[in-house]
């Protein structure tokens, strides 16, 4: 007897608490911007989460609030090395996403995408887990068709400054499809378009965080090129909803599927909104446009709507205000 409970009572109790844990899930890149929100959400849904990260662009700070949860585990590990664990699902997010970070060590970026995919797919094969790849709109390169549909093969420079990321993500998609066809691995490929929100790193160089931080500090807003290039920005909560729906979608739907907000803005329009919502006196200055910077990008989300019943809900103005509030709190 323990606290007046018989062994049978204790077993029943333990069964019940185990039954409340829905799934055991591995999130690679879990200490990054998207990964940390994903860990939080999966835990909130009653799952057990193992977060794996080498802290290249992510930080412990992003998940420190989850450490007291007994169903959360944080492991320092580089996905270019094999990793062994028993889980039901794997979300493979490990890879620097900001151009300045993925260009810092391009060989490592390729290794992370390619060897990371091989290691995680090998693991998924062995343990029969479902695995989702965080792919990117960059697989379309500087697209010649607009908006971009999943059937478009892309327009990518194989030897440019963005190639380590673009081609790394393209070969990762190839590996996912090959493991699916050859080894019956249960895959999901998600093509993520520019996503923003709280917990973006203030110095990671992406446009939304750069403009907001510059505006809040009263610094010049650094506009690369004429600012007429476009992007379509998705708020992080919407993105995660799409990601989780994709993981839980019917077995024979593998993707690739575009997840992004189809509302398209030029970088000048984005800067004007940031200046307006921050009440900043910052001025826009123009700087050289980096090589191979895509001129336009807009997801066609017909497949996501049809297969996942998903579409974004948070429009740019609302998402920017929430993100500005976050940066105000940390600057
Ligand atoms: P992020 O840089 O904040 O997160 C990436 C995480 O991966 C970081 O925590 C980093 O430390 C970790 N990481 C990098 N290399 C690793 C390695 N070798 N081993 C283990 N961990 C490693 O970026 P994010 O915006 O959160 O992006 C997450 C994923 O989504 C990436 O795969 C990215 O390519 C993809 N994606 C993001 C966007 C976006 O707009 N945020 C768009 C398209 C695709
Ligand atoms: N950009 C800019 N100023 C900045 C950072 C980025 O004008 O301080 C531009 C960049 O040239 C690109 C767009 O904003 O055209 C989006 O850049 P980001 O690095 O966020 O993402 P990606 O180019 O990968 O879509």
């Amino acid at each position: 007897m323990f606290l007046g409970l018989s062994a049978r009572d204790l077993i029943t109790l333990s069964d019940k608490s185990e039954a409340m844990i829905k799934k055991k899930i591995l999130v690679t890149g879990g200490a990054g911007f998207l990964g940390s929100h994903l860990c939080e959400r999966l835990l909130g849904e009653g799952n057990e989460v193992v977060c794996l990260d080498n802290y290249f662009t992510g930080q412990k700070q992003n998940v420190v609030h989850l450490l007291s949860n007994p169903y959360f585990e944080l492991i320092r590990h580089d996905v270019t090395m094999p990793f062994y664990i028993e889980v039901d699902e794997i979300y493979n997010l490990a890879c620097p996403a900001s151009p300045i970070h993925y260009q810092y060590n391009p060989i490592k970026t390729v290794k992370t995408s390619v060897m990371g995919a091989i290691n995680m797919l090998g693991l998924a094969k062995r343990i029969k887990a479902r695995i989702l790849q965080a792919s990117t709109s960059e697989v379309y390169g500087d697209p010649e068709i607009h908006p971009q549909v999943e059937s478009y093969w892309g327009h990518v420079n194989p030897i440019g400054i963005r190639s380590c990321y673009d081609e790394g993500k393209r070969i990762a998609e190839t590996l996912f499809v090959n493991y699916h066809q050859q080894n019956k691995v249960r895959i999901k490929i998600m093509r993520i378009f520019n996503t923003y929100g709280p917990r973006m790193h203030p110095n990671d160089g992406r446009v939304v965080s750069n403009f907001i931080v510059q505006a809040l500090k009263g610094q010049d807003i650094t506009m690369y090129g004429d600012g007429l290039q476009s992007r379509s920005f998705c708020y992080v909560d919407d993105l995660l909803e799409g990601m989780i729906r994709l993981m839980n979608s019917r077995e024979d739907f593998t993707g690739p599927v575009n997840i992004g907000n189809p509302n398209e803005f030029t970088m000048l329009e984005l800067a004007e909104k940031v200046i307006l919502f921050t009440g900043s006196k910052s001025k826009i200055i123009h700087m050289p446009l980096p090589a191979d910077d895509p001129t336009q990008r807009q997801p066609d989300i017909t497949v996501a709507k049809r297969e996942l019943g998903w579409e974004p809900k948070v429009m740019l103005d609302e998402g920017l205000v929430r993100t500005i509030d976050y940066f105000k709190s940390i600057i």
Side-chain angles (χ1 to χ4, degrees):
M1 294 288 278
F2 176 72
L3 297 175
L5 298 170
S6 68
R8 176 174 296 202
D9 290 339
L10 284 172
I11 289 166
T12 311
L13 266 180
S14 119
D15 281 353
K16 278 196 178 138
S17 59
E18 283 301 313
M20 282 163 62
I21 299 301
K22 289 185 191 156
K23 286 178 274 195
K24 185 165 179 181
I25 301 175
L26 175 66
V27 179
T28 77
F33 161 50
L34 296 181
S36 60
H37 284 281
L38 178 64
C39 290
E40 197 173 282
R41 196 159 152 179
L42 293 171
L43 281 170
E45 291 176 0
N47 301 295
E48 183 171 348
V49 174
V50 179
C51 167
L52 186 155
D53 209 292
N54 72 348
Y55 308 121
F56 176 51
T57 51
Q59 36 186 353
K60 267 191 194 160
Q61 189 59 35
N62 286 340
V63 288
V64 78
H65 61 294
L66 305 177
L67 289 174
S68 57
N69 187 324
Y71 296 108
F72 180 71
E73 200 177 340
L74 178 60
I75 299 174
R76 180 193 288 266
H77 181 82
D78 192 308
V79 290
T80 59
M81 308 297 284
F83 183 72
Y84 303 99
I85 195 170
E86 289 281 336
V87 288
D88 303 301
E89 293 176 350
I90 304 169
Y91 287 83
N92 188 36
L93 272 62
C95 185
S98 154
I100 55 166
H101 287 144
Y102 69 65
Q103 287 162 20
Y104 172 76
N105 184 344
I107 296 171
K108 176 73 189 200
T109 301
V110 175
K111 285 184 181 173
T112 295
S113 271
V114 178
M115 294 163 70
I118 291 171
N119 287 328
M120 289 305 134
L121 283 161
L123 176 64
K125 176 185 164 192
R126 193 174 317 113
I127 61 175
K128 300 193 176 3
R130 269 195 181 193
I131 179 165
L132 181 147
Q133 168 67 357
S135 190
T136 168
S137 54
E138 291 285 327
V139 299
Y140 301 123
D142 192 2
E144 296 148 306
I145 67 154
H146 198 69
Q148 291 79 55
V149 287
E150 288 85 351
S151 53
Y152 176 52
W153 290 357
H155 179 227
V156 178
N157 178 357
I159 53 168
I161 58 170
R162 298 174 84 100
S163 315
C164 58
Y165 184 73
D166 301 6
E167 298 288 20
K169 289 285 188 179
R170 283 165 69 93
I171 197 73
E173 285 199 9
T174 308
L175 283 162
F176 266 68
V177 169
N178 291 159
Y179 269 78
H180 175 64
Q181 290 169 346
Q182 205 174 319
N183 297 130
K184 308 276 177 284
V185 173
R186 302 183 295 148
I187 62 154
K188 306 282 176 185
I189 300 174
M190 172 177 185
R191 292 186 179 153
I192 303 173
F193 283 65
N194 297 64
T195 302
Y196 69 101
R199 243 180 258 152
M200 290 184 91
H201 197 287
N203 300 325
D204 91 352
R206 284 183 269 191
V207 69
V208 174
S209 44
N210 264 13
F211 284 2
I212 292 177
V213 171
Q214 289 161 348
L216 290 175
K217 289 185 171 171
Q219 297 168 345
D220 291 337
I221 306 270
T222 52
M223 185 68 63
Y224 302 160
D226 57 14
L228 296 177
Q229 70 272 34
S230 72
R231 295 291 186 275
S232 307
F233 297 103
C234 187
Y235 189 67
V236 60
D237 292 359
D238 282 335
L239 194 281
L240 289 186
E241 179 63 34
M243 188 181 276
I244 291 170
R245 282 190 191 204
L246 174 60
M247 180 61 103
N248 295 321
S249 60
R250 64 185 162 80
E251 190 71 27
D252 61 343
F253 180 67
T254 59
V257 58
N258 292 335
I259 299 287
N261 190 321
N263 289 339
E264 184 185 8
F265 298 88
T266 65
M267 295 311 99
L268 276 174
E269 287 170 329
L270 176 71
E272 281 158 11
K273 283 181 183 292
V274 169
I275 289 171
L276 179 70
F277 297 149
T278 52
S280 173
K281 296 199 168 30
S282 291
K283 300 271 170 295
I284 295 173
I285 58 157
H286 290 267
M287 297 176 69
L289 186 69
D292 297 338
D293 199 282
T295 47
Q296 53 182 3
R297 204 183 275 149
Q298 183 189 33
D300 180 312
I301 59 166
T302 310
V303 176
K305 281 185 184 166
R306 186 184 65 230
E307 297 294 334
L308 310 176
W310 177 88
E311 61 184 321
K313 297 202 166 30
V314 182
M315 294 304 124
L316 186 58
D317 289 8
E318 186 188 342
L320 277 181
V321 170
R322 290 192 206 171
T323 310
I324 289 166
D325 284 346
Y326 165 77
F327 278 107
K328 274 184 189 162
S329 73
I330 62 158
I331 287 175

